[in-house]
């Protein structure tokens, strides 16, 4: 990832207000509450809203992002909620996660650069134990239609950075699919996710 990508997210997270709010994503909240607490990883976790929610439920939480500003906000939010999380900053290949470390991985609007997103997914899934769960929500390729009407809904503006059901099936082939769907939803998350959008939702159990 280049410096402009890192600078973009540091700039977004440098304001006092939380870019995507302090409350967890609705879909993540709904899915995590079905699981018994264990170890969980949050890639591209930004300001920590989902990681902190999992920690409050008793999960042992690891998170990473390329943004130091994101980490700073996440640790403040964790302190305010009387929980602790392990938060690393850097690109995935520089971090010290290991094979079958986690019971769950939560990919919530983890939009990596298009040229590396599938490679990152394939690396991440090696960190998941057998029978571990992936919870995923991110914008679909159809989302560009919604973005053209309302840019306040947020999300990448290039189709290659957006997701399809077929891409998820290809990136996570060795999974029992609990849910995999494309859906129109109404977002109300902080400053940058507001209005109707199109998302891919995926919950899978590793075989």
């Amino acid at each position: 990832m280049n410096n402009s990508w890192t600078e973009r997210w540091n700039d977004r997270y440098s304001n006092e207000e939380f870019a995507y709010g302090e409350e967890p994503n609705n879909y993540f909240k709904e899915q995590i509450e079905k699981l018994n607490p264990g170890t969980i990883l949050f890639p591209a976790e930004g300001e920590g809203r989902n990681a902190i929610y999992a920690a409050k439920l008793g999960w042992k939480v690891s998170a990473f992002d390329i943004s130091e500003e994101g980490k700073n906000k996440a640790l403040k939010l964790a302190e305010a909620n009387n929980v602790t999380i392990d938060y690393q900053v850097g690109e995935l290949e520089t971090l010290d996660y290991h094979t079958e470390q986690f019971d769950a991985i939560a990919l919530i609007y983890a939009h990596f650069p298009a040229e590396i997103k599938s490679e990152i997914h394939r690396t991440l899934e090696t960190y998941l134990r057998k029978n571990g769960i992936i919870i995923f929500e991110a914008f679909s390729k159809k989302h560009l239609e919604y973005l053209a009407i309302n840019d306040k809904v947020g999300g990448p503006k290039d189709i290659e950075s957006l997701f399809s059901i077929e891409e998820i099936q290809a990136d996570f082939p060795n999974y029992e699919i609990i849910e995999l769907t494309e859906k129109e939803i109404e977002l109300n998350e902080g400053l940058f996710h507001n209005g109707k959008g199109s998302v891919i939702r995926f919950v899978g159990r590793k075989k």
Side-chain angles (χ1 to χ4, degrees), residues 91-122:
E91 296 185 27
L92 183 56
E93 65 270 18
T94 70
L95 308 177
D96 60 355
Y97 304 120
H98 57 80
T99 303
E100 298 184 357
Q101 181 175 350
F102 297 102
D103 298 306
I105 296 176
L107 287 154
I108 306 299
Y109 297 94
H111 285 277
F112 300 100
E115 64 274 13
I116 60 170
K117 64 179 185 175
S118 289
E119 178 187 340
I120 287 177
H121 283 171
R122 287 191 288 269

Side-chain angles (χ1 to χ4, degrees), residues 102-104 128-134 175 204-207:
F102 297 102
D103 298 306
L128 192 65
R129 294 179 183 137
K130 184 179 179 182
N131 296 316
I133 297 290
I134 283 182
Y175 284 74
R205 179 180 286 110
K206 190 173 183 178
K207 294 179 181 176

